[in-house]
Amino acid sequence: MTRAPETIDTTRLVLRRPRLDDADAIFTRYAADPDVTRYVGWPTHNTVDDTRAFLAFSEGHWAQWPAGAYLAWSRDDGKLVGSTGLLFETRRRAMTGYVLARDAWGRGYATEALTAMLHVALLTGVQRLYALCHADHRASARVLEKCGFVCEGTLRRYEDFPNLRPGEPQDVLCYATILQI
Ligand SMILES: CC(C)(COP(=O)(O)OP(=O)(O)OC[C@H]1O[C@@H](n2cnc3c(N)ncnc32)[C@H](O)[C@@H]1OP(=O)(O)O)[C@@H](O)C(=O)NCCC(=O)NCCS
Protein backbone atom coordinates (compact mmCIF):
# COMPACT_ATOMS: atom_id res chain seq x y z
CA MET A 1 0.00 0.00 0.00
CA THR A 2 1.41 3.40 -0.95
CA ARG A 3 1.32 5.80 1.96
CA ALA A 4 0.09 9.33 1.44
CA PRO A 5 2.40 12.29 2.07
CA GLU A 6 1.80 13.82 5.48
CA THR A 7 2.08 17.32 4.01
CA ILE A 8 0.56 18.52 0.73
CA ASP A 9 0.91 21.97 -0.83
CA THR A 10 -1.97 23.31 -2.88
CA THR A 11 -2.23 26.75 -4.47
CA ARG A 12 -3.35 28.51 -1.28
CA LEU A 13 -3.21 25.84 1.42
CA VAL A 14 -0.82 23.58 3.23
CA LEU A 15 -2.53 20.35 4.19
CA ARG A 16 -0.83 18.33 6.88
CA ARG A 17 -1.43 15.42 9.20
CA PRO A 18 -2.76 16.68 12.54
CA ARG A 19 -0.50 16.73 15.59
CA LEU A 20 -1.55 16.47 19.21
CA ASP A 21 -0.52 20.09 19.82
CA ASP A 22 -3.03 21.32 17.20
CA ALA A 23 -5.93 20.90 19.66
CA ASP A 24 -6.23 24.55 20.70
CA ALA A 25 -6.19 25.82 17.11
CA ILE A 26 -8.86 23.34 15.99
CA PHE A 27 -11.06 24.07 18.99
CA THR A 28 -10.75 27.84 18.64
CA ARG A 29 -11.03 28.11 14.85
CA TYR A 30 -13.93 25.79 14.04
CA ALA A 31 -14.76 22.76 16.18
CA ALA A 32 -16.56 24.72 18.90
CA ASP A 33 -18.48 26.99 16.49
CA PRO A 34 -22.15 25.90 16.19
CA ASP A 35 -22.52 27.67 12.81
CA VAL A 36 -19.70 25.53 11.43
CA THR A 37 -20.79 22.23 12.96
CA ARG A 38 -24.52 22.43 12.11
CA TYR A 39 -24.28 19.88 9.29
CA VAL A 40 -21.42 17.67 10.50
CA GLY A 41 -21.77 14.19 11.93
CA TRP A 42 -20.01 14.91 15.26
CA PRO A 43 -21.17 16.99 18.23
CA THR A 44 -19.88 20.57 18.52
CA HIS A 45 -16.84 20.45 20.79
CA ASN A 46 -17.58 21.68 24.30
CA THR A 47 -14.06 21.53 25.66
CA VAL A 48 -10.62 21.08 24.17
CA ASP A 49 -10.71 17.50 25.49
CA ASP A 50 -13.30 16.75 22.79
CA THR A 51 -10.75 18.01 20.26
CA ARG A 52 -8.01 15.88 21.83
CA ALA A 53 -10.30 12.84 21.42
CA PHE A 54 -10.54 13.62 17.69
CA LEU A 55 -6.75 13.89 17.49
CA ALA A 56 -6.34 10.53 19.23
CA PHE A 57 -8.75 9.00 16.74
CA SER A 58 -6.84 10.61 13.87
CA GLU A 59 -3.53 9.19 15.15
CA GLY A 60 -5.04 5.70 15.31
CA HIS A 61 -6.42 5.99 11.81
CA TRP A 62 -3.11 7.16 10.34
CA ALA A 63 -1.36 4.28 12.11
CA GLN A 64 -3.65 1.72 10.54
CA TRP A 65 -4.26 3.14 7.06
CA PRO A 66 -2.22 4.89 4.34
CA ALA A 67 -3.80 8.30 5.03
CA GLY A 68 -6.26 9.98 7.36
CA ALA A 69 -7.29 13.46 8.43
CA TYR A 70 -5.49 16.59 7.25
CA LEU A 71 -5.56 20.10 8.66
CA ALA A 72 -5.65 22.91 6.09
CA TRP A 73 -3.52 25.98 6.83
CA SER A 74 -3.47 29.23 4.88
CA ARG A 75 -0.20 29.73 3.02
CA ASP A 76 -0.93 33.43 3.12
CA ASP A 77 -1.20 34.10 6.86
CA GLY A 78 -0.50 30.70 8.46
CA LYS A 79 -3.95 30.51 10.09
CA LEU A 80 -5.83 27.24 10.43
CA VAL A 81 -8.52 27.20 7.73
CA GLY A 82 -10.20 23.83 8.43
CA SER A 83 -9.92 20.12 8.01
CA THR A 84 -10.48 17.41 5.44
CA GLY A 85 -9.20 13.89 4.95
CA LEU A 86 -9.84 10.30 4.07
CA LEU A 87 -11.55 7.83 6.37
CA PHE A 88 -10.73 4.35 5.13
CA GLU A 89 -13.40 1.69 5.49
CA THR A 90 -11.57 -0.93 3.42
CA ARG A 91 -8.34 -0.79 1.39
CA ARG A 92 -10.33 0.29 -1.65
CA ARG A 93 -13.15 2.37 -0.13
CA ALA A 94 -12.88 5.61 1.80
CA MET A 95 -15.16 8.40 2.91
CA THR A 96 -14.19 12.05 2.69
CA GLY A 97 -15.49 15.34 4.08
CA TYR A 98 -14.43 18.88 4.91
CA VAL A 99 -15.08 21.53 7.49
CA LEU A 100 -13.91 25.13 7.35
CA ALA A 101 -13.72 27.97 9.86
CA ARG A 102 -16.55 30.47 9.32
CA ASP A 103 -14.29 33.22 7.98
CA ALA A 104 -12.93 30.86 5.31
CA TRP A 105 -16.23 30.05 3.60
CA GLY A 106 -17.05 31.13 0.07
CA ARG A 107 -13.49 31.36 -1.24
CA GLY A 108 -13.14 27.98 -2.93
CA TYR A 109 -11.05 26.44 -0.16
CA ALA A 110 -13.27 23.35 0.22
CA THR A 111 -12.99 22.67 -3.50
CA GLU A 112 -9.21 23.11 -3.34
CA ALA A 113 -8.90 20.79 -0.34
CA LEU A 114 -11.18 18.13 -1.81
CA THR A 115 -9.23 18.16 -5.07
CA ALA A 116 -6.12 17.33 -3.04
CA MET A 117 -8.01 14.47 -1.35
CA LEU A 118 -8.82 13.04 -4.79
CA HIS A 119 -5.07 12.89 -5.46
CA VAL A 120 -4.46 11.21 -2.11
CA ALA A 121 -7.18 8.66 -2.87
CA LEU A 122 -5.68 7.89 -6.26
CA LEU A 123 -2.18 7.57 -4.82
CA THR A 124 -3.25 5.23 -2.03
CA GLY A 125 -5.27 2.91 -4.26
CA VAL A 126 -8.77 3.92 -3.24
CA GLN A 127 -11.31 2.94 -5.89
CA ARG A 128 -14.46 4.33 -4.35
CA LEU A 129 -14.27 7.73 -2.63
CA TYR A 130 -17.60 8.91 -1.29
CA ALA A 131 -19.20 11.56 0.87
CA LEU A 132 -22.54 12.00 2.57
CA CYS A 133 -24.17 15.37 2.97
CA HIS A 134 -27.43 16.53 4.46
CA ALA A 135 -30.10 16.77 1.76
CA ASP A 136 -30.53 20.53 2.43
CA HIS A 137 -26.82 21.38 2.41
CA ARG A 138 -26.50 22.95 -1.05
CA ALA A 139 -23.01 24.39 -0.58
CA SER A 140 -21.56 21.00 0.32
CA ALA A 141 -23.33 19.24 -2.56
CA ARG A 142 -21.98 21.91 -4.92
CA VAL A 143 -18.40 21.34 -3.73
CA LEU A 144 -18.77 17.61 -4.44
CA GLU A 145 -20.25 18.25 -7.88
CA LYS A 146 -17.47 20.70 -8.77
CA CYS A 147 -14.96 17.97 -7.93
CA GLY A 148 -16.67 15.43 -10.18
CA PHE A 149 -18.55 13.39 -7.59
CA VAL A 150 -21.83 11.93 -8.82
CA CYS A 151 -24.97 11.88 -6.69
CA GLU A 152 -26.00 8.25 -6.35
CA GLY A 153 -29.22 9.05 -4.57
CA THR A 154 -30.87 9.94 -1.30
CA LEU A 155 -30.44 7.75 1.74
CA ARG A 156 -33.68 8.41 3.55
CA ARG A 157 -33.72 8.91 7.32
CA TYR A 158 -30.14 7.65 7.27
CA GLU A 159 -27.96 9.63 9.62
CA ASP A 160 -28.21 11.45 12.89
CA PHE A 161 -26.91 15.03 12.84
CA PRO A 162 -26.19 15.64 16.52
CA ASN A 163 -26.15 19.45 16.19
CA LEU A 164 -29.30 19.71 14.08
CA ARG A 165 -32.06 17.40 15.27
CA PRO A 166 -30.48 14.91 17.64
CA GLY A 167 -32.20 11.55 17.65
CA GLU A 168 -34.03 12.22 14.35
CA PRO A 169 -32.16 10.58 11.47
CA GLN A 170 -32.04 12.87 8.44
CA ASP A 171 -32.12 12.34 4.66
CA VAL A 172 -28.62 12.47 3.17
CA LEU A 173 -27.27 12.62 -0.36
CA CYS A 174 -24.67 10.00 -1.23
CA TYR A 175 -22.00 11.29 -3.62
CA ALA A 176 -19.20 9.12 -4.99
CA THR A 177 -16.41 9.04 -7.49
CA ILE A 178 -14.71 5.96 -8.89
CA LEU A 179 -10.94 6.22 -9.29
CA GLN A 180 -8.98 4.19 -11.78
CA ILE A 181 -5.31 3.48 -11.32
C1 LIG B 1 -19.71 23.55 3.08
C2 LIG B 1 -18.34 24.22 3.08
C3 LIG B 1 -17.29 23.17 3.29
C4 LIG B 1 -18.15 24.92 1.75
O1 LIG B 1 -16.83 25.44 1.72
P1 LIG B 1 -16.41 26.61 0.72
O2 LIG B 1 -14.94 26.74 0.76
O3 LIG B 1 -17.24 27.80 1.02
O4 LIG B 1 -16.85 25.96 -0.67
P2 LIG B 1 -16.39 26.45 -2.10
O5 LIG B 1 -16.19 27.93 -2.06
O6 LIG B 1 -15.26 25.59 -2.57
O7 LIG B 1 -17.66 26.08 -2.99
C5 LIG B 1 -18.98 26.34 -2.51
C6 LIG B 1 -19.94 26.29 -3.68
O8 LIG B 1 -21.27 26.22 -3.17
C7 LIG B 1 -22.02 27.32 -3.64
N1 LIG B 1 -22.98 27.67 -2.60
C8 LIG B 1 -22.74 28.22 -1.41
N2 LIG B 1 -23.89 28.34 -0.73
C9 LIG B 1 -24.86 27.83 -1.52
C10 LIG B 1 -26.27 27.66 -1.37
N3 LIG B 1 -26.90 28.04 -0.26
N4 LIG B 1 -26.95 27.09 -2.38
C11 LIG B 1 -26.32 26.67 -3.50
N5 LIG B 1 -24.98 26.80 -3.70
C12 LIG B 1 -24.28 27.37 -2.70
C13 LIG B 1 -21.01 28.41 -3.90
O9 LIG B 1 -21.51 29.38 -4.79
C14 LIG B 1 -19.88 27.57 -4.52
O10 LIG B 1 -20.17 27.17 -5.84
P3 LIG B 1 -19.58 27.99 -7.12
O11 LIG B 1 -18.08 27.91 -7.04
O12 LIG B 1 -20.15 27.25 -8.30
O13 LIG B 1 -20.07 29.40 -7.00
C15 LIG B 1 -18.23 25.27 4.21
O14 LIG B 1 -19.32 26.14 4.12
C16 LIG B 1 -18.20 24.66 5.58
O15 LIG B 1 -17.14 24.29 6.08
N6 LIG B 1 -19.34 24.55 6.25
C17 LIG B 1 -19.40 24.00 7.59
C18 LIG B 1 -19.01 22.55 7.67
C19 LIG B 1 -19.81 21.66 6.76
O16 LIG B 1 -21.01 21.82 6.66
N7 LIG B 1 -19.13 20.72 6.12
C20 LIG B 1 -19.73 19.81 5.19
C21 LIG B 1 -20.41 18.69 5.89
S1 LIG B 1 -21.11 17.56 4.66
Side-chain angles (χ1 to χ4, degrees):
M1 261 194 299
T2 305
R3 283 191 68 77
E6 296 191 2
T7 302
I8 301 165
D9 288 337
T10 68
T11 309
R12 295 175 295 166
L13 301 171
V14 178
L15 306 174
R16 81 155 163 73
R17 175 177 169 167
R19 297 192 301 246
L20 296 178
D21 63 1
D22 292 320
D24 286 341
I26 297 170
F27 182 78
T28 309
R29 289 285 291 142
Y30 65 84
D33 181 342
D35 279 344
V36 169
T37 56
R38 178 166 299 120
Y39 285 117
V40 303
W42 39 271
T44 311
H45 291 187
N46 284 319
T47 73
V48 78
D49 278 344
D50 296 332
T51 313
R52 291 193 189 103
F54 158 70
L55 290 168
F57 171 82
S58 166
E59 280 296 296
H61 194 83
W62 270 98
Q64 188 181 350
W65 298 99
Y70 287 87
L71 296 179
W73 304 82
S74 163
R75 286 158 70 96
D76 190 32
D77 61 13
K79 272 168 63 169
L80 181 61
V81 166
S83 149
T84 183
L86 263 57
L87 186 66
F88 282 80
E89 295 175 346
T90 72
R91 281 185 60 177
R92 300 291 178 210
R93 186 180 75 234
M95 184 164 70
T96 189
Y98 30 78
V99 51
L100 301 183
R102 184 70 190 83
D103 61 14
W105 294 6
R107 297 161 66 183
Y109 284 138
T111 303
E112 192 168 320
L114 183 58
T115 301
M117 291 306 102
L118 284 166
H119 290 298
V120 169
L122 197 58
L123 182 72
T124 54
V126 170
Q127 289 181 357
R128 174 182 170 81
L129 184 65
Y130 79 99
L132 302 178
C133 81
H134 190 285
D136 296 339
H137 197 357
R138 290 307 310 153
S140 184
R142 179 78 190 120
V143 170
L144 291 160
E145 285 160 10
K146 284 198 290 180
C147 290
F149 285 68
V150 172
C151 184
E152 295 180 329
T154 303
L155 304 174
R156 293 178 298 165
R157 301 292 184 268
Y158 185 77
E159 190 171 301
D160 202 34
F161 286 77
N163 311 311
L164 199 60
R165 291 192 190 83
E168 287 182 38
Q170 302 284 301
D171 291 356
V172 301
L173 303 174
C174 180
Y175 277 89
T177 187
I178 303 301
L179 300 154
Q180 307 293 339
I181 300 171

mmCIF file of all heavy atoms in Angstrom, residues 147-164:
data_model
loop_
_atom_site.group_PDB
_atom_site.id
_atom_site.type_symbol
_atom_site.label_atom_id
_atom_site.label_comp_id
_atom_site.label_asym_id
_atom_site.label_seq_id
_atom_site.Cartn_x
_atom_site.Cartn_y
_atom_site.Cartn_z
ATOM 1 N N CYS A 147 -16.115 18.873 -7.925
ATOM 2 C CA CYS A 147 -14.956 17.969 -7.927
ATOM 3 C C CYS A 147 -15.249 16.668 -8.665
ATOM 4 O O CYS A 147 -14.447 15.722 -8.596
ATOM 5 C CB CYS A 147 -14.512 17.684 -6.497
ATOM 6 S SG CYS A 147 -13.754 19.131 -5.723
ATOM 7 N N GLY A 148 -16.388 16.577 -9.329
ATOM 8 C CA GLY A 148 -16.669 15.430 -10.180
ATOM 9 C C GLY A 148 -17.371 14.271 -9.498
ATOM 10 O O GLY A 148 -17.530 13.197 -10.094
ATOM 11 N N PHE A 149 -17.789 14.455 -8.264
ATOM 12 C CA PHE A 149 -18.546 13.393 -7.590
ATOM 13 C C PHE A 149 -19.957 13.336 -8.186
ATOM 14 O O PHE A 149 -20.529 14.367 -8.561
ATOM 15 C CB PHE A 149 -18.656 13.680 -6.092
ATOM 16 C CG PHE A 149 -17.392 13.427 -5.313
ATOM 17 C CD1 PHE A 149 -16.268 14.228 -5.490
ATOM 18 C CD2 PHE A 149 -17.330 12.390 -4.391
ATOM 19 C CE1 PHE A 149 -15.105 14.006 -4.769
ATOM 20 C CE2 PHE A 149 -16.174 12.160 -3.660
ATOM 21 C CZ PHE A 149 -15.052 12.968 -3.850
ATOM 22 N N VAL A 150 -20.503 12.136 -8.241
ATOM 23 C CA VAL A 150 -21.832 11.929 -8.819
ATOM 24 C C VAL A 150 -22.795 11.566 -7.698
ATOM 25 O O VAL A 150 -22.478 10.730 -6.829
ATOM 26 C CB VAL A 150 -21.784 10.790 -9.869
ATOM 27 C CG1 VAL A 150 -23.184 10.415 -10.342
ATOM 28 C CG2 VAL A 150 -20.897 11.205 -11.037
ATOM 29 N N CYS A 151 -23.972 12.192 -7.712
ATOM 30 C CA CYS A 151 -24.975 11.881 -6.690
ATOM 31 C C CYS A 151 -25.612 10.539 -7.030
ATOM 32 O O CYS A 151 -26.217 10.381 -8.093
ATOM 33 C CB CYS A 151 -26.033 12.983 -6.620
ATOM 34 S SG CYS A 151 -27.214 12.686 -5.290
ATOM 35 N N GLU A 152 -25.460 9.589 -6.112
ATOM 36 C CA GLU A 152 -25.997 8.247 -6.352
ATOM 37 C C GLU A 152 -27.416 8.109 -5.825
ATOM 38 O O GLU A 152 -28.067 7.102 -6.085
ATOM 39 C CB GLU A 152 -25.086 7.206 -5.696
ATOM 40 C CG GLU A 152 -23.698 7.165 -6.330
ATOM 41 C CD GLU A 152 -22.801 6.136 -5.692
ATOM 42 O OE1 GLU A 152 -22.949 5.875 -4.472
ATOM 43 O OE2 GLU A 152 -21.947 5.595 -6.411
ATOM 44 N N GLY A 153 -27.853 9.107 -5.055
ATOM 45 C CA GLY A 153 -29.224 9.052 -4.565
ATOM 46 C C GLY A 153 -29.344 9.560 -3.142
ATOM 47 O O GLY A 153 -28.369 10.017 -2.549
ATOM 48 N N THR A 154 -30.567 9.490 -2.659
ATOM 49 C CA THR A 154 -30.872 9.945 -1.295
ATOM 50 C C THR A 154 -30.994 8.733 -0.390
ATOM 51 O O THR A 154 -31.729 7.794 -0.714
ATOM 52 C CB THR A 154 -32.195 10.732 -1.292
ATOM 53 O OG1 THR A 154 -32.081 11.822 -2.207
ATOM 54 C CG2 THR A 154 -32.521 11.259 0.099
ATOM 55 N N LEU A 155 -30.270 8.779 0.714
ATOM 56 C CA LEU A 155 -30.439 7.754 1.740
ATOM 57 C C LEU A 155 -31.424 8.336 2.751
ATOM 58 O O LEU A 155 -31.100 9.279 3.477
ATOM 59 C CB LEU A 155 -29.092 7.425 2.391
ATOM 60 C CG LEU A 155 -27.989 6.987 1.409
ATOM 61 C CD1 LEU A 155 -26.656 6.812 2.125
ATOM 62 C CD2 LEU A 155 -28.382 5.685 0.716
ATOM 63 N N ARG A 156 -32.615 7.790 2.773
ATOM 64 C CA ARG A 156 -33.681 8.412 3.547
ATOM 65 C C ARG A 156 -33.591 8.057 5.027
ATOM 66 O O ARG A 156 -33.376 6.905 5.374
ATOM 67 C CB ARG A 156 -35.035 8.005 2.956
ATOM 68 C CG ARG A 156 -35.223 8.595 1.554
ATOM 69 C CD ARG A 156 -36.523 8.175 0.932
ATOM 70 N NE ARG A 156 -36.572 6.727 0.774
ATOM 71 C CZ ARG A 156 -37.686 6.046 0.520
ATOM 72 N NH1 ARG A 156 -38.831 6.676 0.434
ATOM 73 N NH2 ARG A 156 -37.654 4.740 0.366
ATOM 74 N N ARG A 157 -33.775 9.072 5.844
ATOM 75 C CA ARG A 157 -33.719 8.911 7.317
ATOM 76 C C ARG A 157 -32.493 8.088 7.707
ATOM 77 O O ARG A 157 -32.583 7.136 8.468
ATOM 78 C CB ARG A 157 -34.991 8.227 7.828
ATOM 79 C CG ARG A 157 -36.272 8.965 7.512
ATOM 80 C CD ARG A 157 -36.380 10.282 8.280
ATOM 81 N NE ARG A 157 -37.644 10.940 8.033
ATOM 82 C CZ ARG A 157 -37.834 11.854 7.065
ATOM 83 N NH1 ARG A 157 -36.841 12.216 6.283
ATOM 84 N NH2 ARG A 157 -39.016 12.410 6.909
ATOM 85 N N TYR A 158 -31.341 8.492 7.185
ATOM 86 C CA TYR A 158 -30.143 7.655 7.266
ATOM 87 C C TYR A 158 -29.249 7.984 8.442
ATOM 88 O O TYR A 158 -28.743 7.103 9.119
ATOM 89 C CB TYR A 158 -29.353 7.808 5.970
ATOM 90 C CG TYR A 158 -28.160 6.896 5.871
ATOM 91 C CD1 TYR A 158 -28.331 5.552 5.573
ATOM 92 C CD2 TYR A 158 -26.870 7.382 6.067
ATOM 93 C CE1 TYR A 158 -27.237 4.709 5.466
ATOM 94 C CE2 TYR A 158 -25.775 6.544 5.967
ATOM 95 C CZ TYR A 158 -25.965 5.216 5.664
ATOM 96 O OH TYR A 158 -24.888 4.386 5.563
ATOM 97 N N GLU A 159 -29.013 9.299 8.671
ATOM 98 C CA GLU A 159 -27.956 9.634 9.615
ATOM 99 C C GLU A 159 -28.411 10.673 10.622
ATOM 100 O O GLU A 159 -29.128 11.609 10.284
ATOM 101 C CB GLU A 159 -26.734 10.168 8.854
ATOM 102 C CG GLU A 159 -25.517 10.319 9.735
ATOM 103 C CD GLU A 159 -24.273 10.638 8.929
ATOM 104 O OE1 GLU A 159 -23.922 9.822 8.052
ATOM 105 O OE2 GLU A 159 -23.676 11.689 9.172
ATOM 106 N N ASP A 160 -27.931 10.486 11.841
ATOM 107 C CA ASP A 160 -28.208 11.452 12.893
ATOM 108 C C ASP A 160 -27.236 12.628 12.756
ATOM 109 O O ASP A 160 -26.040 12.420 12.557
ATOM 110 C CB ASP A 160 -28.014 10.754 14.252
ATOM 111 C CG ASP A 160 -28.770 11.461 15.345
ATOM 112 O OD1 ASP A 160 -29.848 11.999 15.070
ATOM 113 O OD2 ASP A 160 -28.267 11.476 16.483
ATOM 114 N N PHE A 161 -27.757 13.826 12.826
ATOM 115 C CA PHE A 161 -26.915 15.026 12.837
ATOM 116 C C PHE A 161 -27.019 15.612 14.239
ATOM 117 O O PHE A 161 -28.016 16.265 14.562
ATOM 118 C CB PHE A 161 -27.375 16.019 11.767
ATOM 119 C CG PHE A 161 -27.005 15.606 10.376
ATOM 120 C CD1 PHE A 161 -27.717 14.610 9.727
ATOM 121 C CD2 PHE A 161 -25.919 16.181 9.732
ATOM 122 C CE1 PHE A 161 -27.362 14.195 8.449
ATOM 123 C CE2 PHE A 161 -25.559 15.772 8.450
ATOM 124 C CZ PHE A 161 -26.276 14.777 7.811
ATOM 125 N N PRO A 162 -26.023 15.360 15.087
ATOM 126 C CA PRO A 162 -26.187 15.644 16.522
ATOM 127 C C PRO A 162 -26.390 17.116 16.842
ATOM 128 O O PRO A 162 -26.907 17.436 17.911
ATOM 129 C CB PRO A 162 -24.874 15.129 17.132
ATOM 130 C CG PRO A 162 -23.918 15.012 15.994
ATOM 131 C CD PRO A 162 -24.729 14.767 14.771
ATOM 132 N N ASN A 163 -26.000 18.022 15.909
ATOM 133 C CA ASN A 163 -26.153 19.449 16.194
ATOM 134 C C ASN A 163 -27.380 20.052 15.512
ATOM 135 O O ASN A 163 -27.601 21.253 15.595
ATOM 136 C CB ASN A 163 -24.898 20.199 15.742
ATOM 137 C CG ASN A 163 -23.655 19.512 16.258
ATOM 138 O OD1 ASN A 163 -23.570 19.196 17.431
ATOM 139 N ND2 ASN A 163 -22.708 19.232 15.372
ATOM 140 N N LEU A 164 -28.159 19.214 14.860
ATOM 141 C CA LEU A 164 -29.296 19.707 14.084
ATOM 142 C C LEU A 164 -30.595 19.244 14.736
ATOM 143 O O LEU A 164 -31.305 20.025 15.343
ATOM 144 C CB LEU A 164 -29.170 19.173 12.651
ATOM 145 C CG LEU A 164 -29.930 19.856 11.553
ATOM 146 C CD1 LEU A 164 -29.519 21.314 11.427
ATOM 147 C CD2 LEU A 164 -29.658 19.127 10.227
#
